Amino acid sequence: DQQVKQNSPSLSVQEGRISILNCDYTNSMFDFLWYKKYPAEGPTFLISISSIKDKNEDGRFTVFLNKSAKHLSLHIVPSQPGDSAVYFCAASGNQGGKLIFGQGTELSVKP
Amino acid sequence: GAGVSQSPSNKVTEKGKDVELRCDPISGHTALYWYRQSLGQGLEFLIYFQGNSAPDKSGLPSDRFSAERTGGSVSTLTIQRTQQEDSAVYLCASSSDRTNYGYTFGSGTRLTVV
C-alpha cells in the first residue's frame, strides 16, 4: 500500500525566515509534487521533483528528495505572508496517472 | 473554459438523499480525477478517467458512489443515500495526459449532509 504522510498539521514562521515542510512516503514512487491550497480554492501546482534527482529549485522554492530515507522537503526562503496556505505533498506511484496526497501542512507566515 | 469548473460550489442535503456533483474539465484534457477532502484530512483519491480507457474506480469508498464521464468531457459524481460521513469538499482535476504536472484542480463542491 503506497502512502504519503505529512506529520506536521501546521507550521508558523516569521516573515523573511525559512519555512521547511516535510513529507515521508512508503514504497517506491516516481515523481513528487507540492501543491498549495488557499481557502475556498482548489490546490495549485507549485513545484515537483523526479525520483532521479535530489534537488529542484524554482525561485524561493526548493524541494529536496532523500530516497534512502523516503523523505522529501519543501524549503521556502524568504517566507512571505502570501505564502500562508495549506501545502500538500503528492507522489505518483505504480498506479497510473493518479497522485497520492499527504494530509497537508498549514503554513502561517507572520508579518 | 479557462479552468476546471465545478458545480454547485456548495450543497446541503438531507441524509438519505441522492446528490450529483458536476465537473467541467479544461477543454482537450483527456484525464479527469475526483478527489475529496474531509475535515482535517488530506486529499483522498476517488476515481480517475483517462481517455476511452476503463476508469480506475479503486478509490470509491462504497457502492453508493459512482461517476460517469460523457463524451470524454463533463463528469458527474453521484452519491446515493447520502450519509453524514460523506460531508467533504469534492475536488475535480483534469490534465492533458498521464503526466501529473498537468493537474489543474477546480475550486471544489462543499457537500454537507445534515
Side-chain angles (χ1 to χ4, degrees):
Chain A
D1 183 30
Q2 296 176 308
Q3 293 186 357
V4 176
K5 293 184 178 180
Q6 295 175 257
N7 293 316
S8 298
S10 63
L11 175 68
S12 183
V13 172
Q14 203 67 31
E15 180 179 8
R17 307 295 288 269
I18 185 170
S19 295
I20 300 176
L21 298 107
N22 294 301
C23 178
D24 297 294
Y25 62 94
T26 61
N27 301 324
S28 297
M29 301 287 191
F30 299 120
D31 296 300
F32 302 88
L33 303 90
W34 286 93
Y35 281 79
K36 177 179 179 180
K37 185 181 184 301
Y38 292 116
E41 295 183 10
T44 56
F45 169 71
L46 185 59
I47 191 171
S48 63
I49 187 168
S50 166
S51 59
I52 63 173
K53 296 186 176 182
D54 54 19
K55 178 182 176 181
N56 187 28
E57 187 173 355
D58 183 3
R60 297 186 297 113
F61 303 90
T62 303
V63 57
F64 295 92
L65 176 62
N66 182 335
K67 288 186 286 293
S68 61
K70 292 187 168 59
H71 177 84
L72 71 157
S73 60
L74 173 67
H75 292 207
I76 307 172
V77 56
S79 301
Q80 300 173 353
D83 296 331
S84 298
V86 177
Y87 290 78
F88 289 98
C89 169
S92 65
N94 58 359
Q95 302 168 57
K98 71 187 183 201
L99 292 175
I100 302 167
F101 284 84
Q103 300 92 326
T105 296
E106 183 171 10
L107 174 65
S108 177
V109 181
K110 308 289 187 186
Chain B
V4 176
S5 177
Q6 290 188 247
S7 60
S9 55
N10 282 285
K11 176 73 175 178
V12 180
T13 189
E14 291 181 352
K15 178 182 173 182
K17 295 287 180 74
D18 298 351
V19 295
E20 285 189 352
L21 312 180
R22 177 186 170 103
C23 173
D24 280 280
I26 292 175
S27 178
H29 278 193
T30 59
L32 186 147
Y33 314 82
W34 283 97
Y35 285 80
R36 74 175 176 181
Q37 184 181 16
S38 303
L39 189 62
Q41 302 297 312
L43 298 178
E44 176 188 4
F45 167 76
L46 297 176
I47 188 169
Y48 158 47
F49 297 89
Q50 172 61 52
N52 294 321
S53 302
D56 177 352
K57 303 180 182 180
S58 60
L60 294 178
S62 78
D63 58 8
R64 296 187 294 106
F65 288 72
S66 62
E68 291 185 338
R69 188 178 186 192
T70 55
S73 180
V74 172
S75 177
T76 301
L77 177 69
T78 301
I79 309 173
Q80 295 178 312
R81 304 181 303 281
T82 52
Q83 304 294 314
Q84 288 187 328
E85 62 262 28
D86 300 335
S87 296
V89 176
Y90 288 80
L91 290 159
C92 175
S94 69
S95 66
S96 57
D97 54 32
R98 289 166 60 90
T99 303
N100 295 317
Y101 302 173
Y103 255 61
T104 302
F105 279 91
S107 298
T109 294
R110 180 175 295 278
L111 175 66
T112 304
V113 182
V114 297

